[in-house]
Amino acid sequence: MTQTIAVEASHVVKAFGHADTAVRALDDVSVQIRKGEFFTLLGPSGCGKTTLLRLIAGFEMPSGGTILLEGADITTLPPNKRPVNTVFQSYALFPHLTVAQNIGFGLEMLGRPKAEVQATTARMLALVKLETMASRKTSQLSGGQQQRVALARALAPSPKVLLLDEPLSALDLKLRKEMQIELKRLQTETGITFIFVTHDQEEALTMSDRIGVMSAGKLQQVGSPKEIYNNPVNRFVASFIGETNFLPASRDGDMYRLDCGIKIGAPPSKAARVTLTVRPEQVRLVADSEADALPAKITNLVYFGTDTHCHLSLPDGTEVVARLQSPATGDAGLALGQSVGVRFVPEAIQVLED
């Protein structure tokens, strides 16, 4: 079944400055975002993710390329002519208005009938679970409640696309995790296309149907959270999405020879020189006497409650981290300086060509 494309950016360029001094915030970016999906633009500060969001919103005009909304060219349309809404990091609520008045404000500006404004406001209050706070001023609300008001206000006009510019960054860790679940629930219940910008890998993995990883103005990879985590296309994606181990190696027949001299198996590659990557949770510790195990010494143990991160050093000095489930007693029976054997889950090893 063919999926409808909600937003399509085609060969989009955004340059700031003039001539030789111009800086390309976006460098030939093309992406298709499907109708009704939760799509996340993920990357470090300055990678171009917020710039792309602003181009979709109409707050900036591209230097080149086109932006389509459900097939219609909106590249040069002003923001008020686009059926999209934006939730900003600061929420931008009106402190002198009540929760209900904030939610209905946009509808009133659109000239909707009073009865429609009231009915839609009541529906939005129920959606974000703030019915009992309808008459409160927004200054009397917590950060999480204020964010729900901002979401309800943005959803009230039923936009085709909702843009979210790092809306969780001002919240504390516990509330941020709660709001991750809440945001995904809202997107599922409304069926509206959400385009979410963040630099937080956990947020992206937790909420997204698909993720677009960006770096230096370019889109590095687009895929589901599992695809991007398990099959990164390059070293940047592998290192930015979660933690991973990098093992320099050379192809040796059907095997790969690590720089410490030991050969291991991994997916085939034509490149003579590669980097093998394996996630810490796919590293196994065994007795140092086991045949074919990589010899290593424990250099550090970091306790995270549910997990313990065991830092290891291979004979050539290459560092490896193993993520081990913490035992109930809190004592894993490991010690600094201890010699151990290391094995990798074979199907978990990825090959990145240098």
Side-chain angles (χ1 to χ4, degrees):
M1 185 175 68
T2 303
Q3 291 179 303
T4 303
I5 302 302
V7 176
E8 180 175 4
S10 181
H11 302 290
V12 170
V13 174
K14 180 60 180 177
F16 293 98
H18 302 283
D20 296 339
T21 60
V23 175
R24 283 198 171 194
L26 292 174
D27 189 2
D28 194 22
V29 171
S30 294
V31 63
Q32 291 184 333
I33 299 169
R34 300 164 187 160
K35 186 175 182 179
E37 79 171 334
F38 197 122
F39 188 93
T40 296
L41 293 168
L42 174 68
S45 297
C47 71
K49 57 188 186 296
T50 295
T51 300
L52 181 56
L53 199 77
R54 291 178 62 82
L55 293 181
I56 296 170
F59 301 139
E60 301 276 359
M61 293 294 117
S63 307
T66 58
I67 297 173
L68 306 181
L69 179 64
E70 294 187 357
D73 191 337
I74 62 168
T75 308
T76 59
L77 282 183
N80 63 318
K81 298 294 184 181
R82 303 183 185 206
V84 304
N85 264 348
T86 306
V87 177
F88 299 99
Q89 188 175 339
S90 62
Y91 309 149
L93 300 175
F94 300 111
H96 62 289
L97 299 181
T98 66
V99 169
Q101 289 169 337
N102 265 277
I103 294 172
F105 181 82
L107 296 172
E108 292 177 351
M109 292 298 99
L110 292 171
R112 302 286 175 81
K114 185 175 181 180
E116 181 185 339
V117 173
Q118 291 176 340
T120 302
T121 298
R123 192 170 70 252
M124 290 298 107
L125 284 167
L127 184 67
V128 298
K129 301 177 182 178
L130 288 176
E131 303 101 309
T132 60
M133 300 184 180
S135 60
R136 287 194 189 182
K137 296 289 178 61
T138 56
S139 58
Q140 298 173 312
L141 304 180
S142 68
Q145 290 166 340
Q146 289 181 6
Q147 190 203 54
R148 291 185 186 194
V149 176
L151 285 166
R153 183 179 63 183
L155 291 168
S158 297
K160 291 184 177 180
V161 177
L162 185 65
L163 309 174
L164 301 109
D165 188 10
E166 303 202 49
L168 306 183
S169 60
L171 304 178
D172 62 58
L173 179 61
K174 184 174 185 296
L175 186 54
R176 192 159 68 242
K177 289 182 178 295
E178 291 175 359
M179 288 308 302
Q180 289 172 11
I181 297 171
E182 191 69 12
L183 268 179
K184 184 58 181 174
R185 178 186 70 81
L186 289 171
Q187 190 272 326
T188 302
E189 288 190 15
T190 61
I192 292 173
T193 304
F194 277 27
I195 304 178
F196 185 86
V197 162
T198 185
H199 61 270
D200 189 306
Q201 302 96 323
E202 183 179 323
E203 281 184 1
L205 293 170
T206 300
M207 296 186 292
S208 311
D209 296 313
R210 289 192 304 149
I211 299 169
V213 183
M214 297 190 67
S215 174
K218 291 183 178 292
L219 201 57
Q220 302 291 320
Q221 184 175 359
V222 175
S224 70
K226 285 185 178 180
E227 288 170 346
I228 289 193
Y229 187 82
N230 293 323
N231 299 287
V233 297
N234 56 36
R235 190 183 181 103
F236 174 82
V237 176
S239 62
F240 195 77
I241 300 291
E243 298 178 37
T244 197
N245 296 295
F246 292 109
L247 304 166
S250 300
R251 187 160 51 86
D252 190 342
D254 295 333
M255 304 282 282
Y256 294 91
R257 186 178 297 277
L258 302 180
D259 285 358
C260 64
I262 296 174
K263 293 199 294 183
I264 64 174
S269 170
K270 294 181 180 179
R273 186 70 179 168
V274 300
T275 297
L276 306 183
T277 178
V278 61
R279 301 290 183 182
E281 65 271 18
Q282 303 295 348
V283 179
R284 305 288 182 260
L285 299 190
V286 297
D288 59 349
S289 58
E290 279 200 19
D292 299 327
L294 293 174
K297 285 190 180 296
I298 297 175
T299 59
N300 198 12
L301 292 166
V302 184
Y303 180 68
F304 284 93
T306 56
D307 299 323
T308 295
H309 290 196
C310 181
H311 294 250
L312 306 148
S313 178
L314 301 183
D316 68 323
T318 299
E319 294 184 358
V320 172
V321 177
R323 182 181 298 139
L324 312 173
Q325 186 173 5
S326 298
T329 60
D331 181 7
L334 301 173
L336 297 182
Q338 180 180 343
S339 296
V340 296
V342 172
R343 291 190 183 281
F344 306 128
V345 177
E347 57 271 23
I349 301 174
Q350 298 294 316
V351 179
L352 304 177
E353 296 185 358
D354 291 351

